[in-house]
Amino acid sequence: MRLDRLLGNLGYGSRREVKGLVRGGDVRLDGALIDDPEMRLAITPDLRARMTVGTEALDPLPGFVALLNKPRGVTCSHKEAGRLVYELLPPRWRAREPAVSSVGRLDKDTSGLLLLTDDGALLHRIIAPKAAVPKRYRVTLARPLRGNEAAVFAAGTLLLDNEATPLRPATLEVTSPTEANLTVTEGRYHQVRRMFAAVGNHVETLHRNRIGSLSLPDDLAPGALLVMTPEQVGFVLPPRI
Ligand code: URA
């Protein structure tokens, strides 16, 4: 890909602006200045470590995945009232082409692990119902658990209001009378909140801490982002058979 196109797609500016950036002597490859904006580059995974723009490493390459510790109170949408998840991203990421999107959504009041990517095909592989990627949520409840919830959720027969298809079996690990981890393999609208409503309870707080075998790092502050390595991305999806 041509350097000016790459930088433009990564949000560094219009084609004219990135030509100016390169000619101004701000872009280096392996420490050497590049002065030709039309130079052709192979987009290989090592490019990010080899290229600098100004004093910084190049932004994540096309096809990247990042993990955000979503705080409560922000909405997973590009255009809604209130604080949006995309406002937590570096400004350049918001100018990228293809656009960066969240992999599925978390409710405004749900916190925790949210993936972001510019790779539409990967996004669809992760959220496709047939992929059945497990997602684990830590739940705190308004009322003590009755004791039968794990069996009800595991049965694969629970019907949510206004739905015709029962939920797939889900796994509940109870950690205290009003706290549990729930692992589901679907992503229906407000699913976890509606599951607890169906068993006469109410979710007070909801936090996603795992997708596939990828856990939210304990030391990642709310609102902080981490660009993932290809190996970490491999933890999200089961290997293709
Ligand atoms: N289930 C919910 O009810 N809300 C979320 O944000 C995610 C799963």
mmCIF file of all heavy atoms in Angstrom, residues 105-107 110 137 190-193 206, ligand 1:
data_model
loop_
_atom_site.group_PDB
_atom_site.id
_atom_site.type_symbol
_atom_site.label_atom_id
_atom_site.label_comp_id
_atom_site.label_asym_id
_atom_site.label_seq_id
_atom_site.Cartn_x
_atom_site.Cartn_y
_atom_site.Cartn_z
ATOM 1 N N ARG A 105 -22.269 -5.018 21.686
ATOM 2 C CA ARG A 105 -22.483 -3.849 22.548
ATOM 3 C C ARG A 105 -22.612 -4.254 23.994
ATOM 4 O O ARG A 105 -22.991 -5.395 24.278
ATOM 5 C CB ARG A 105 -23.797 -3.164 22.171
ATOM 6 C CG ARG A 105 -23.751 -2.460 20.857
ATOM 7 C CD ARG A 105 -25.098 -1.829 20.586
ATOM 8 N NE ARG A 105 -25.035 -1.042 19.366
ATOM 9 C CZ ARG A 105 -25.799 0.008 19.128
ATOM 10 N NH1 ARG A 105 -26.674 0.414 20.027
ATOM 11 N NH2 ARG A 105 -25.685 0.673 18.002
ATOM 12 N N LEU A 106 -22.301 -3.331 24.874
ATOM 13 C CA LEU A 106 -22.664 -3.481 26.282
ATOM 14 C C LEU A 106 -23.654 -2.361 26.581
ATOM 15 O O LEU A 106 -23.531 -1.254 26.038
ATOM 16 C CB LEU A 106 -21.428 -3.338 27.184
ATOM 17 C CG LEU A 106 -20.408 -4.479 27.138
ATOM 18 C CD1 LEU A 106 -19.190 -4.141 28.000
ATOM 19 C CD2 LEU A 106 -21.035 -5.793 27.610
ATOM 20 N N ASP A 107 -24.611 -2.623 27.476
ATOM 21 C CA ASP A 107 -25.563 -1.579 27.860
ATOM 22 C C ASP A 107 -24.812 -0.398 28.464
ATOM 23 O O ASP A 107 -23.716 -0.575 29.025
ATOM 24 C CB ASP A 107 -26.514 -2.075 28.955
ATOM 25 C CG ASP A 107 -27.380 -3.224 28.495
ATOM 26 O OD1 ASP A 107 -27.551 -3.398 27.284
ATOM 27 O OD2 ASP A 107 -27.879 -3.941 29.391
ATOM 28 N N THR A 110 -23.596 -1.184 31.875
ATOM 29 C CA THR A 110 -22.710 -2.348 32.031
ATOM 30 C C THR A 110 -21.272 -1.882 31.848
ATOM 31 O O THR A 110 -20.984 -1.068 30.969
ATOM 32 C CB THR A 110 -23.053 -3.429 30.979
ATOM 33 O OG1 THR A 110 -24.430 -3.777 31.106
ATOM 34 C CG2 THR A 110 -22.205 -4.670 31.146
ATOM 35 N N TYR A 137 -20.107 -12.707 32.728
ATOM 36 C CA TYR A 137 -20.495 -11.462 33.402
ATOM 37 C C TYR A 137 -20.487 -11.664 34.907
ATOM 38 O O TYR A 137 -20.970 -12.695 35.392
ATOM 39 C CB TYR A 137 -21.922 -11.062 32.982
ATOM 40 C CG TYR A 137 -22.034 -10.732 31.520
ATOM 41 C CD1 TYR A 137 -22.252 -11.730 30.568
ATOM 42 C CD2 TYR A 137 -21.895 -9.425 31.071
ATOM 43 C CE1 TYR A 137 -22.338 -11.438 29.215
ATOM 44 C CE2 TYR A 137 -21.980 -9.119 29.719
ATOM 45 C CZ TYR A 137 -22.199 -10.125 28.797
ATOM 46 O OH TYR A 137 -22.285 -9.825 27.463
ATOM 47 N N HIS A 190 -30.325 -7.036 26.148
ATOM 48 C CA HIS A 190 -30.396 -7.002 27.625
ATOM 49 C C HIS A 190 -30.471 -8.403 28.218
ATOM 50 O O HIS A 190 -31.194 -8.643 29.206
ATOM 51 C CB HIS A 190 -31.624 -6.210 28.091
ATOM 52 C CG HIS A 190 -31.552 -4.732 27.817
ATOM 53 N ND1 HIS A 190 -30.376 -4.032 27.712
ATOM 54 C CD2 HIS A 190 -32.546 -3.815 27.655
ATOM 55 C CE1 HIS A 190 -30.646 -2.749 27.470
ATOM 56 N NE2 HIS A 190 -31.946 -2.591 27.423
ATOM 57 N N GLN A 191 -29.764 -9.336 27.602
ATOM 58 C CA GLN A 191 -29.984 -10.751 27.942
ATOM 59 C C GLN A 191 -29.818 -11.073 29.427
ATOM 60 O O GLN A 191 -30.668 -11.712 30.027
ATOM 61 C CB GLN A 191 -29.038 -11.635 27.110
ATOM 62 C CG GLN A 191 -29.221 -13.115 27.434
ATOM 63 C CD GLN A 191 -28.513 -14.018 26.469
ATOM 64 O OE1 GLN A 191 -28.237 -13.615 25.334
ATOM 65 N NE2 GLN A 191 -28.226 -15.231 26.879
ATOM 66 N N VAL A 192 -28.709 -10.636 30.005
ATOM 67 C CA VAL A 192 -28.427 -11.045 31.394
ATOM 68 C C VAL A 192 -29.457 -10.412 32.339
ATOM 69 O O VAL A 192 -30.006 -11.074 33.225
ATOM 70 C CB VAL A 192 -26.984 -10.687 31.778
ATOM 71 C CG1 VAL A 192 -26.718 -10.991 33.241
ATOM 72 C CG2 VAL A 192 -25.996 -11.434 30.879
ATOM 73 N N ARG A 193 -29.750 -9.142 32.105
ATOM 74 C CA ARG A 193 -30.746 -8.469 32.967
ATOM 75 C C ARG A 193 -32.098 -9.172 32.848
ATOM 76 O O ARG A 193 -32.791 -9.394 33.856
ATOM 77 C CB ARG A 193 -30.886 -6.989 32.564
ATOM 78 C CG ARG A 193 -29.611 -6.188 32.835
ATOM 79 C CD ARG A 193 -29.700 -4.758 32.294
ATOM 80 N NE ARG A 193 -28.361 -4.201 32.135
ATOM 81 C CZ ARG A 193 -27.655 -3.630 33.107
ATOM 82 N NH1 ARG A 193 -28.169 -3.509 34.303
ATOM 83 N NH2 ARG A 193 -26.438 -3.177 32.872
ATOM 84 N N LEU A 206 -23.574 -4.941 36.522
ATOM 85 C CA LEU A 206 -23.211 -5.954 35.530
ATOM 86 C C LEU A 206 -21.855 -5.573 34.937
ATOM 87 O O LEU A 206 -21.663 -4.415 34.517
ATOM 88 C CB LEU A 206 -24.294 -5.971 34.447
ATOM 89 C CG LEU A 206 -24.268 -7.095 33.421
ATOM 90 C CD1 LEU A 206 -24.272 -8.458 34.109
ATOM 91 C CD2 LEU A 206 -25.499 -6.994 32.524
HETATM 92 N N1 URA B 1 -26.615 -8.590 29.060
HETATM 93 C C1 URA B 1 -27.201 -7.448 29.464
HETATM 94 O O1 URA B 1 -28.306 -7.449 29.980
HETATM 95 N N2 URA B 1 -26.535 -6.291 29.266
HETATM 96 C C2 URA B 1 -25.305 -6.223 28.743
HETATM 97 O O2 URA B 1 -24.748 -5.132 28.617
HETATM 98 C C3 URA B 1 -24.708 -7.427 28.321
HETATM 99 C C4 URA B 1 -25.385 -8.611 28.495
#
